[in-house]
C-alpha cells in the first residue's frame, strides 16, 4: 500500500445535454466548470478609422438618429489596460509565470462576430427617451427596447445589469462582471413537455437532444461541445413541464464566438435523419437509467392522478416506444414541426454574463440572436389557466390516499394542496409577495412545540419538509412531507390530524407580527450580503425568473426579497387567504413504503410503480375537518440568533492588493499536541461571515469497532441538535457534523455576529451528549437499516465505483461488514463512543481553521471553545489515515460483480488508470483527461450509442494520479464496453500524435486558468486552505507550481505519460477495472471473470479492514508541500513589494535573510523534511 493524503480535484466530462436537473445534482454528473482566459492586449484603432467613425456618428446625429457613446470593445481577444483597469493589473501581476505561456498562446478571436469597435447605447440617451415616455420603463432604440429603469441589486453585488428586448421579441438580461473567472449564457424556451403532442410523449425532450447535433452554420455533430472543451467550458440542457433550457460556460475570451455557435441552435438545427435515428437510442437509454430511480417513478405516479386533459399527465422523458408511436422511423417531420411551432423568439429568455462591458455584450446579443424567428407564438400554458390540475382524488364519494411502493427503503407521507392562479395578476402577486414562505416556515418548523417536535416525541416521524413542489404559470403545489418511522406507518390518520390541528391553530390565532418581520429581515440580510454566484448559476436563475414573470427591475433582487402586495392589501391578508385554502377536501395524500407492496394491485403505466388506493373514511375526514385542540403546539417564538451586528472587523485590502491578500495563507497560531489551529482574517470579500472547521482524527486501533456505533451516535446527536438549534439555521448559522473513516468533521458557517457563541454552544452539547435514549437509538437504527437496505438499489455506476474503492483504498468499509456489525450493535456501544468526547483519557488529534470576519478576540474565544472537549493528545503515527493500494504493474486488476437489484437493466464499467507517485503526474493526468473527455463522449455516447452515462474523470490521491473512464449502458455488457474503451484509447493515441500544437495550447491554457482561478467567495477560499490542512500537506503555493508546470508540458510529455500508465502493453500500467453486470448475464460475466487477476491481497479481509502496510515513506507522498511544512510558520512575514512578483502564495528562498514590509530582519533558516535549508516567505 502507498500511504497517501487523499485529495480530489476532479475533471468531469459532461453526461451530455440530455441530463435532467435532478441528474446534475448527483455527484459526478455535474457539468465541468472550466475557467478564465489570459487577457491579451488589443491594438489601438488606427487614427483614420477613428476619424471615419466619428464622422459617421456625426452623420447619425444630424439625421436625428439616437446617439451612441464610443467605448473600446472588449472582444474575445481581450482589451488594453485602459479598458480593463483593475483586471489588467491582475494579469500583469501574474506576468512572471504566464509569460511562459507565450509558446502556447491562444489565437486571437478578432473577427469572431464583432469588430474592434462597438456601439454602446448611452445611459443618458436612454434616460432621456424614457422621460419622454413616462407610461413605460422602456426606451426604444429603433426596434430594440432597452429597459431604462433601475435594476435593483444587492449592495454587495459589483456586477452591472441591463435588460432589453430584441427586435424579434426575445427578452435578454446582460450581466457585466469585469472580475468574472468564467463567462456563461443560458437560454430558456417557454415550451416544455406540456406541449408534447398527445401521440408523441417525450417530443420536447427529444427536440432538446437534437439541437446539439449540428446546425447549418456548424454542421459537425457536437462541434459546440468540442469548442467549449477546448476553451475551458461545458454545456448541458434540461426539459421541464413548461420550459426547455440550454446553457454553457466558457473562458471569458471565447464568449463571443461561443455565442455565435450557441445562437445557431435556435435558428438552423439540422435534424439529420442519421442523427435523429441514433439519438432516439439515447432517449431510450436515458429512460432505462431512470426506471429504478424513485424520484422519476414517484413524480410520474403523481402525474398519473392529474386531471384528465391536463398536460400534467404527460410522460415528459419519452422513450423509443412513445416516440416511434407505431412507426418504424424516428419522427423527424414531427421534430421539425415542433421546433417551428415552439422555438419562437417571443417565448425565449436569454441571460449572458461576461467580462465585457454592457455595450459590448449588447452588441453581441443583438448580432447573434436578433435573427431568431418570431412567428407570433402565444404562451402555450395559458390554455389551461383556471383548470385545477390536481382535483381531489375520490372514489365513490370518498377521498383517496395513494399508497405507493418505492424501490428504496423510503417511508413518507405527503399532504399537498394545489393553489390556482385565476388571473395574471394573481400569479404576479404570488411570485412577488411569496406568501408560501411564511406558511412553510411555521408548518415546517422543527423547534420545540412544532408539529415536527410533537410527532417525533410520539415516535411517528423522523423528519419534515414544507414548501413548494411545483410552480408554473397557472398553479403551484404547496406540500408538507413527513419522514415516517415504522410506528408512524400505522398512524397516518393521526399525523394528518395533527397537521390540520396546527393549521387550525394558526388560522385562529394568526401568525405573529415578529414572524413576518424575521422572515423579511433574514431574506434582506441574505440579499444584502449574498456571496457571489458562479456565472453559470446566475445565468440559469435569471432566465427562470424572466420566464416566471419577474419585472426587469426585480430580476436581481426578487428571488430574495419579500415584497408587499400593494394596492391596499396587507401581506397578512394574502397569507390568511392562502391558509384558508389548506383544507382536507382540497388536498392530495400520498404515502410511501415498501410494506405497501402486499396490498398494491395497480401499476403506473410508464415506470411500473406499484400502488393502491385507500379510502379516507368519513370518520377520519370529520376528525381532519374538526381536529382536536393541540395544547402542546406552539408557534415559533422570537429568534434569538437573528444577527444584528454586520460590521467588518478587518480592514479590506486596497483594490490593487486584493490578489496579494487572497494569496496570503492562514497563519499557524497554535501547534500543540492536541490541536493545530490556523487563522486567516478576511480582507478580500468584505462580508460579515466566517467559518470554523475542525477535524478530530480517531485512533487507528478502533477504526473497525467504531464503524456503525459512530454512525448511530451521529444520527442521534443531530436528531437532538436539530430541534435545539433550528432557529440558528434559520438565522444563517449552519453546523455540519460528519463521521468519516478517519474521524469526525465539524464545520460551522454563518454570520460572524453570533457565530462564536454558536460554536461554543454546539461543542458543549457534543461534550455533554451521553448517548441516545432508547427511542433515539431506535430511530437511528431504523435510518441505518434503511440506508443499508437501499444500498443495493443505487445506480450501477455508483456500485462500480464502490467496488473500485474497496480494492484500492484502506480502510474502506464494505457493505457486508457494516450490515454484520449493525446486527450486533448495542446502545451501550453507541454511548461508549459518545463518551469519548467528554473524557480526558480519550486521545484525539485535531486541526482547525478559522477564516472570515474574525478578529484576535474571536480567535481566542474559539480556541477556548476547543478546550470544552477535554481529550488527550494522540501521536500522529497513531492516526487513522486512508491509504492507497499499490496495484500490480503491467497487468489488469479486474473485479466483477452482479448487480444486486434484480429489476435493474443497466450495466456499468469503471476503468481506472493509476500513476506512480509524482507531483507532475497529477497535472499530466488532468491535462490528458481534458483532452480525452470530449472525443470519449462523442465516440461512446453520440456515435456508437453504447450508453447514456459516459464520464471521464481525473483525480488525485496524494501524488498518485488516477484517470477514470466510466460507461453505464442498457445495451452492452461490461466486457463489450471494455473492448470499446480499449479501441477508443488506441485511436485516441493516434489523435494525440496528430494534434496540432495550437490545439494542445488551447487545452493547456484552459487548465492553467482552472488551476489559478481566483476565489470568488469566502467559502471557495476556505475550501482551498482546508484541503491543504486536512491532508497535512500545507502546500500553499501548489496552484502556482502546478500552473507553471503546465506551461512546460509538450506533446512528447503527454505521449510518454500515456504510454507509461494508460497504453496497452506497458509494463508500468496499473489498471483497475470494476464491472457490474445486470442480472441474467452469467455467460458474459464468466468471460470477463476469466480476465481477472488474483487481487485477493487488495480486497477486504473478513474483519473489514486492511493492514496499514506501506511500501514507501509517507514523506515522499507529501510532495511539494513538505518544504513549506518543515517547521513553524512565521506569524508576520511579508515580502517587500518587488517588480512583477508571481501570484504564488508562498515563495521559498535559500538565502540568509528576508525582507519585512516595514524593515529588514535576519531570520534563522529552517530545515525541511528533505534536508533542505529554506526560508518561507508569506505574501
Amino acid at each position: 500500500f502507498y500511504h497517501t493524503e487523499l485529495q480530489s480535484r476532479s475533471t468531469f466530462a459532461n453526461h451530455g445535454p440530455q441530463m435532467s436537473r435532478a441528474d446534475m445534482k448527483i455527484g459526478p454528473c455535474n457539468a465541468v466548470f472550466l475557467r478564465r482566459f489570459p487577457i491579451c492586449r488589443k491594438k489601438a484603432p488606427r487614427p483614420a478609422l477613428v476619424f471615419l467613425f466619428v464622422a459617421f456618428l456625426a452623420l447619425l446625429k444630424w439625421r436625428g438618429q439616437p446617439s451612441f457613446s464610443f467605448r473600446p470593445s472588449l472582444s474575445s481577444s481581450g482589451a488594453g489596460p485602459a479598458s480593463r483597469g483593475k483586471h489588467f493589473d491582475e494579469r500583469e501581476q501574474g506576468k512572471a509565470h504566464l509569460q511562459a505561456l507565450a509558446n502556447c498562446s491562444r489565437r486571437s478571436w478578432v473577427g469572431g462576430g464583432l469588430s474592434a469597435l462597438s456601439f454602446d447605447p448611452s445611459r443618458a440617451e436612454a434616460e432621456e427617451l424614457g422621460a419622454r415616455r413616462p407610461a413605460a420603463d422602456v426606451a426604444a432604440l429603433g426596434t430594440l427596447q432597452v429597459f431604462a429603469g433601475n435594476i435593483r441589486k444587492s449592495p454587495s453585488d459589483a456586477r452591472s445589469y441591463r435588460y432589453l428586448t430584441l427586435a424579434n421579441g426575445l427578452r435578454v438580461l446582460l450581466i457585466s462582471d469585469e472580475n468574472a473567472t468564467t463567462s456563461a449564457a443560458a437560454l430558456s424556451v417557454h415550451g416544455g413537455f406540456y406541449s408534447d403532442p398527445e401521440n408523441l410523449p417525450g417530443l420536447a425532450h427529444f427536440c432538446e437532444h437534437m439541437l446539439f447535433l449540428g446546425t447549418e452554420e456548424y454542421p459537425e455533430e457536437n462541434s459546440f461541445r468540442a469548442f467549449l472543451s477546448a476553451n475551458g467550458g461545458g454545456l448541458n440542457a434540461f426539459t421541464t413541464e413548461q420550459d426547455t433550457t440550454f446553457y454553457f460556460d466558457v473562458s471569458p475570451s471565447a464568449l463571443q464566438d461561443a455565442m455565435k455557435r450557441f445562437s445557431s441552435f435556435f435558428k438552423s438545427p439540422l435534424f439529420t435523419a442519421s442523427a435523429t435515428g441514433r439519438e432516439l437510442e439515447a432517449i431510450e437509454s436515458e429512460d432505462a437509467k431512470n426506471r429504478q430511480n424513485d424520484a422519476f417513478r414517484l413524480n410520474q405516479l403523481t402525474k398519473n392522478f392529474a386531471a384528465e386533459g391536463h398536460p400534467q399527465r404527460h410522460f415528459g422523458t419519452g422513450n423509443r416506444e412513445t416516440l416511434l408511436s407505431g412507426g418504424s422511423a424516428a419522427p423527424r417531420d414531427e421534430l421539425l414541426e415542433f421546433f417551428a411551432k415552439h422555438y419562437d423568439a417571443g417565448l425565449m429568455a436569454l441571460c449572458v454574463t461576461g467580462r465585457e462591458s454592457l455595450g459590448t455584450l449588447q452588441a453581441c446579443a443583438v448580432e447573434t440572436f436578433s435573427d431568431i424567428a418570431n412567428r407570433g407564438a402565444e404562451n402555450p400554458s395559458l390554455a389551461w389557466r383556471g383548470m385545477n390540475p390536481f382535483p381531489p382524488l375520490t372514489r365513490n364519494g370518498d377521498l383517496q390516499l395513494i399508497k405507493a411502493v418505492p424501490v428504496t427503503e423510503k417511508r413518507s407521507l405527503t399532504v399537498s394542496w394545489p393553489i390556482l392562479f385565476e388571473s395574471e395578476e394573481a400569479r404576479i402577486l404570488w411570485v412577488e409577495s411569496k406568501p408560501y414562505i411564511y406558511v412553510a416556515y411555521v408548518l415546517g418548523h422543527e423547534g420545540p412545540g412544532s408539529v415536527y417536535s410533537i410527532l417525533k416525541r410520539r415516535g411517528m416521524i423522523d423528519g419534515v419538509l414544507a414548501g413548494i413542489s411545483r410552480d408554473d404559470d397557472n398553479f403551484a403545489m404547496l406540500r408538507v412531507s413527513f419522514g415516517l418511522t415504522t410506528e408512524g406507518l400505522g398512524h397516518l390518520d393521526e399525523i394528518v390530524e395533527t397537521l390540520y390541528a396546527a393549521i387550525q391553530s394558526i388560522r385562529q390565532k394568526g401568525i405573529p407580527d415578529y414572524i413576518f418581520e424575521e422572515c423579511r429581515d433574514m431574506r434582506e440580510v441574505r440579499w444584502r450580503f449574498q456571496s457571489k454566484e458562479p456565472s453559470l448559476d446566475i445565468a440559469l436563475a435569471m432566465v427562470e425568473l424572466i420566464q416566471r414573470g419577474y419585472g426587469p427591475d426585480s430580476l436581481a433582487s426578487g428571488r430574495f426579497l419579500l415584497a408587499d402586495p400593494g394596492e391596499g392589501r396587507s401581506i397578512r391578508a394574502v397569507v390568511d387567504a392562502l391558509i384558508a385554502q389548506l383544507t382536507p377536501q382540497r388536498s392530495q395524500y400520498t404515502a410511501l413504503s415498501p410494506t405497501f407492496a402486499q396490498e398494491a394491485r395497480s401499476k403506473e403505466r410508464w415506470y411500473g410503480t406499484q400502488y393502491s388506493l385507500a379510502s379516507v373514511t368519513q370518520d377520519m375526514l370529520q376528525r381532519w375537518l374538526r381536529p382536536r385542540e393541540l395544547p402542546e403546539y406552539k408557534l415559533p417564538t422570537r429568534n434569538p440568533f437573528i444577527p444584528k451586528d454586520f460590521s467588518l472587523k478587518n480592514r479590506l485590502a486596497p483594490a490593487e492588493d486584493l490578489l496579494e491578500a487572497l494569496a496570503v495563507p492562514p497563519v499557524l497560531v497554535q501547534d500543540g499536541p492536541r490541536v493545530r489551529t490556523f487563522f486567516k482574517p478576511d480582507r478580500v470579500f468584505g462580508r460579515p461571515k466566517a467559518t470554523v472547521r475542525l477535524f478530530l482524527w480517531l485512533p487507528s486501533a478502533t477504526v473497525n469497532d467504531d464503524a456503525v456505533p459512530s454512525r448511530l451516535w451521529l444520527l442521534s446527536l443531530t436528531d437532538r441538535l436539530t430541534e435545539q438549534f433550528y432557529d440558528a439555521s434559520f438565522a444563517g448559522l449552519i453546523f455540519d457534523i460528519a463521521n468519516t473513516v478517519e474521524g469526525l468533521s465539524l464545520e460551522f458557517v454563518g454570520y460572524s455576529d453570533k457565530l462564536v457563541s454558536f460554536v461554543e454552544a454546539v461543542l458543549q452539547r457534543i461534550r455533554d451528549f451521553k448517548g441516545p435514549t432508547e427511542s433515539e437509538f431506535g430511530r437511528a437504527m431504523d435510518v441505518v437499516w434503511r440506508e443499508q437496505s437501499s444500498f443495493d438499489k443505487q445506480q450501477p455506476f455508483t456500485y462500480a465505483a464502490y467496488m473500485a474503492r474497496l480494492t484500492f483504498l484502506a480502510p474502506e468499509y464494505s457493505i457486508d461488514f457494516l450490515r454484520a456489525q449493525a446486527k450486533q450493535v448495542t446502545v451501550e456501544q453507541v454511548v461508549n463512543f459518545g463518551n469519548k468526547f467528554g473524557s480526558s483519557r480519550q486521545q484525539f488529534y485535531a486541526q482547525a481553521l478559522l477564516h472570515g470576519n474574525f478578529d484576535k478576540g474571536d480567535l481566542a474565544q474559539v480556541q477556548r471553545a476547543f478546550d470544552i472537549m477535554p481529550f488527550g493528545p494522540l501521536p500522529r503515527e497513531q492516526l487513522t489515515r486512508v491509504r492507497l493500494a499499490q496495484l500490480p504493474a503491467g497487468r489488469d486488476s479486474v473485479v466483477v460483480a452482479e448487480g444486486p437489484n434484480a429489476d435493474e437493466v443497466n450495466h456499468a464499467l469503471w476503468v481506472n488508470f493509476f500513476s506512480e507517485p509524482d507531483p507532475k503526474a497529477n497535472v499530466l493526468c488532468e491535462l490528458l483527461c481534458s483532452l480525452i473527455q470530449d472525443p470519449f463522449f462523442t465516440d461512446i455516447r453520440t456515435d456508437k450509442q453504447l450508453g447514456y452515462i459516459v464520464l471521464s474523470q481525473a483525480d488525485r490521491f496524494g501524488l498518485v494520479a488516477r484517470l477514470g473512464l466510466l460507461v453505464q449502458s442498457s445495451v452492452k455488457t461490461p466486457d463489450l464496453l471494455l473492448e470499446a474503451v480499449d479501441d477508443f484509447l488506441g485511436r485516441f493515441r493516434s489523435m494525440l500524435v496528430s494534434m496540432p500544437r495550437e490545439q494542445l495550447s488551447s487545452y493547456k491554457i484552459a487548465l492553467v486558468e482552472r488551476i489559478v482561478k481566483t476565489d470568488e467567495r469566502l467559502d471557495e477560499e476556505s475550501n482551498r486552505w482546508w484541503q491543504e490542512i486536512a491532508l497535512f500537506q500545507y502546500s500553499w503555493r501548489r496552484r502556482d507550481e502546478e500552473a507553471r508546470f503546465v506551461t512546460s508540458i509538450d506533446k512528447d510529455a503527454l505521449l510518454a505519460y500515456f504510454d507509461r500508465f494508460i497504453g496497452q502493453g506497458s509494463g508500468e500500467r496499473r489498471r483497475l477495472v470494476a464491472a457490474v453486470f445486470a442480472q441474467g448475464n452469467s455467460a458474459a460475466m464468466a468471460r470477463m471473470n476469466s480476465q481477472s487477476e488474483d487481487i485477493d491481497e487488495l480486497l477486504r479481509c473478513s474483519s473489514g479492514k486492511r493492514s496499514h502496510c506501506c511500501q514507501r515513506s509517507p514523506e515522499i507522498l507529501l510532495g511539494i508541500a513538505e518544504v513549506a511544512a518543515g517547521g513553524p510558520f512565521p506569524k508576520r512575514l511579508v515580502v517587500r513589494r518587488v517588480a512583477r512578483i508571481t501570484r504564488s502564495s508562498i515563495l521559498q528562498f535559500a538565502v540568509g535573510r528576508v525582507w519585512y514590509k516595514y524593515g529588514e530582519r535576519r531570520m534563522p533558516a529552517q530545515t525541511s523534511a528533505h534536508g533542505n535549508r529554506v526560508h518561507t516567505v508569506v505574501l
Side-chain angles (χ1 to χ4, degrees), residues 748-1059:
F748 305 88
V749 179
Y751 298 100
S752 53
D753 179 24
K754 300 182 179 180
L755 183 60
V756 174
S757 58
F758 178 60
V759 171
E760 291 176 328
V762 173
L763 291 180
Q764 190 168 10
R765 297 295 197 287
I766 293 174
R767 181 199 63 188
D768 297 340
F769 181 58
K770 301 305 182 184
T773 64
E774 287 292 341
S775 61
E776 289 173 333
F777 177 77
R779 284 198 299 271
M781 275 299 303
D782 182 58
V783 172
V784 167
W785 177 82
R786 282 187 284 159
E787 288 174 346
Q788 294 180 355
S789 299
S790 299
F791 181 88
D792 294 340
K793 306 297 184 181
Q794 62 187 316
Q795 289 273 349
F797 79 88
T798 308
Y799 196 79
Y802 154 76
M803 291 169 47
R805 289 197 308 274
L806 281 183
T807 306
F808 69 81
L809 292 179
E812 181 76 11
Y813 301 125
S814 72
I815 186 62
D816 293 334
F817 168 74
L818 293 175
R819 285 169 174 165
Q821 190 176 82
K823 292 178 180 178
Q824 302 174 2
V825 69
T826 64
V827 68
E828 289 75 21
Q829 289 175 299
V830 180
V831 170
N832 290 338
F833 177 82
N835 287 337
K836 296 179 180 181
F837 300 97
S839 171
S840 59
R841 294 190 300 272
Q842 176 61 44
Q843 292 180 314
F844 292 123
Y845 182 75
Q847 289 202 110
L849 170 66
L850 283 70
H851 181 212
N853 192 39
F854 282 148
D855 57 22
K856 292 183 178 179
D858 298 321
L859 170 64
Q861 193 173 347
V862 173
Q863 287 181 288
R864 288 193 297 271
F866 291 159
D867 293 334
I868 289 175
M869 291 186 288
F871 57 86
L874 177 67
R876 181 170 171 178
E877 61 271 12
Q878 297 180 24
L879 306 187
T880 300
R881 305 306 307 278
V882 174
R883 301 165 188 266
L884 182 68
Q886 181 178 353
L887 299 173
R891 59 181 185 175
D892 287 349
S893 302
V894 183
V895 287
V896 179
E898 187 175 62
N901 184 357
D903 296 323
E904 179 62 71
V905 299
N906 289 284
H907 316 275
L909 178 74
W910 191 215
V911 185
N912 304 269
F913 300 89
F914 294 88
S915 74
E916 287 285 327
D918 183 353
K920 297 180 179 180
N922 286 310
V923 181
L924 286 163
C925 185
E926 285 193 39
L927 180 57
L928 192 64
C929 182
S930 65
L931 292 166
I932 282 178
Q933 62 186 17
D934 179 65
F936 181 62
F937 181 91
T938 300
D939 181 70
I940 302 296
R941 161 69 173 75
T942 305
D943 295 341
K944 296 180 179 178
Q945 290 292 332
L946 296 183
Y948 179 74
I949 297 179
V950 177
L951 164 70
S952 55
Q953 170 184 329
D955 52 16
R956 55 182 65 187
F957 301 88
L959 299 185
V960 178
R962 178 180 71 160
L963 174 67
L965 302 175
L966 169 69
V967 184
Q968 180 168 299
S969 173
S970 61
V971 296
K972 296 291 183 182
T973 52
D975 55 324
L976 301 178
L977 294 175
L978 184 58
E979 292 178 4
V981 169
D982 286 337
D983 175 68
F984 164 79
L985 290 174
R987 287 181 286 110
F988 174 77
R989 190 190 187 282
S990 301
M991 294 166 54
L992 190 58
V993 169
S994 60
M995 178 175 291
R997 177 180 175 182
E998 294 77 11
Q999 185 177 357
L1000 177 59
S1001 297
S1002 182
Y1003 283 94
K1004 289 170 62 177
I1005 293 175
L1007 180 57
V1008 168
E1009 291 168 357
R1010 185 167 72 252
I1011 291 173
V1012 302
K1013 172 189 173 294
T1014 302
D1015 300 319
E1016 295 187 289
R1017 299 182 304 279
L1018 184 72
D1019 63 309
E1020 279 190 344
E1021 186 189 357
S1022 293
N1023 289 339
R1024 180 162 56 88
W1025 300 130
W1026 182 246
Q1027 189 175 58
E1028 298 295 339
I1029 294 168
L1031 301 177
F1032 291 93
Q1033 295 196 2
Y1034 319 112
S1035 182
W1036 313 124
R1037 62 193 299 254
R1038 180 190 307 277
R1039 299 197 305 177
D1040 183 68
E1041 290 191 349
E1042 292 186 351
R1044 195 176 295 132
F1045 174 63
V1046 172
T1047 65
S1048 68
I1049 297 175
D1050 56 19
K1051 188 189 301 184
D1052 291 340
L1054 279 174
L1055 285 170
Y1057 182 91
F1058 184 94
D1059 292 339

Side-chain angles (χ1 to χ4, degrees), residues 557-570:
S557 59
R559 58 194 167 127
F560 296 96
L561 302 180
L562 303 177
D564 290 326
E567 298 182 3
R569 290 172 295 188
S570 67

Side-chain angles (χ1 to χ4, degrees), residues 284 305 689 753 866:
E284 178 69 12
F305 296 103
K689 301 178 181 179
D753 179 24
F866 291 159

